[in-house]
Amino acid sequence: MHARTTLITGNADVRAVLDDPRFTVPPVHDAAPASPPPARSRPCLAWLRSTAVRFSNGERHLRRRSVVLDLLAGLAPLDLLTDAAERTRALSLHGSTGSPGSVGDAVVFAPVAVLGARLGIAGQDLAAAVDAVRAIAGVYLGGADSDRLPSADAAVRLLSGLLGTDGDEERTAQRIVLLVQCCAATAGLIRNTLALADEHRPAWDRTPPVADLVTETLRFDPPARRTRRVASVDASVAGETIPAGTEVVLDLAAANRDPAVFADPDRFLPGRPDTRHLAFGHGLRPCPGSDHATALACGVLDSILTP
Ligand code: HEM
């Protein structure tokens, strides 16, 4: 447990923490952690978390992040956009989408299937892979009850098998990580964009370009609303001392409505000139998949919103 928790909401203050190497990523905690699984049941959730770029610091983080960047360099955002649009259109033809505001899971999780296919998962395994990714994504960031952990362990095993290990455990883990990091956040972005488009449509002469809708949704209603750091030594933010061991909660959603950065911050305004939102984080370890996420969401949304 951390001695203290501090909430940071200002855009410049959140940026300062994310730029500062004295603030590191804290370990993940579950509500009631299950006892560690025996070594022979690896790979499992605990293995994924301990090998994932997301929860690593220092040299390990740099090494794992370079693996992630290498994997992402092989996935062209434009290809992902095209795949996501085609997949969504195919789902719509089968009656899976209702009104734009109430699309089904198959549509909002289409980005996971697209990414899975591009990472080499065979077509007949994609549905099981998406279910497995969702099981992991639901508990990955912590706070999970122990009864949800065994299915996440099984899901990590399934995905390791489908992606193949190549004898390089660390690389396999980052391939699973790409799917898991994509899952809830990109689905949330699609859902939030559709909800805001539904709400504001009566006031529009015509629907704004999908890219503008997505960018403003990322600012106005970001799918990843908070992140955390821990002060590794005594530090200060905005003149306030933060003692070593303090957990710092960074409110990305609040920072995205900071009036010091955004004029009329509580107004949903697609195409607004200032796009310095923090939905993808910032600084030493921003989201490396931001272009991929945006492309996947735009592909899905283009198919739904563009007649
Ligand atoms: C709308 C969708 C997404 C949002 C809002 C989002 C947001 C974020 C944020 C805020 C972070 C930084 C967390 C922190 O600083 O503590 C992050 C990290 C990360 N994201 Fe994303 N993300 C999205 C989609 C994706 C996708 C599609 C991928 C991969 C294809 C991805 C891969 C990652 C990875 C690997 C990290 C960890 C980076 C590191 O620790 O160095 N994300 N994401």
Side-chain angles (χ1 to χ4, degrees), residues 270-282:
R272 67 163 63 233
D274 199 328
T275 55
R276 281 180 299 157
H277 65 72
L278 292 170
F280 289 119
H282 168 80

Side-chain angles (χ1 to χ4, degrees), residues 18 25 52-56 61 64-65 68 72 75 80 111 115 140 174 177-190 218 222-224 226-229 250 252 278-282 284-294 296-297:
L18 292 173
V25 172
V53 62
R54 179 71 176 73
F55 308 111
S56 314
H61 174 252
R64 292 167 178 172
R65 191 166 168 103
V68 162
L72 287 172
L75 300 165
L80 299 181
L115 210 50
Y140 179 66
Q174 307 325 315
V177 160
L178 292 187
L179 294 167
V180 172
Q181 293 275 161
C182 171
C183 182
T186 313
L189 176 58
I190 293 166
L218 284 163
R226 291 178 162 200
T227 192
R228 288 166 199 278
R229 294 292 186 268
L250 302 165
L252 306 174
L278 292 170
F280 289 119
H282 168 80
L284 299 172
R285 46 194 311 155
C287 178
S290 56
D291 289 349
H292 303 77
T294 308
L296 286 161

Side-chain angles (χ1 to χ4, degrees), residues 2-28:
H2 296 285
R4 258 186 70 182
T5 300
T6 291
L7 177 69
I8 311 247
T9 57
N11 193 290
D13 297 338
V14 171
R15 282 170 189 272
V17 171
L18 292 173
D19 274 331
D20 188 335
R22 293 174 300 176
F23 293 98
T24 58
V25 172
V28 198

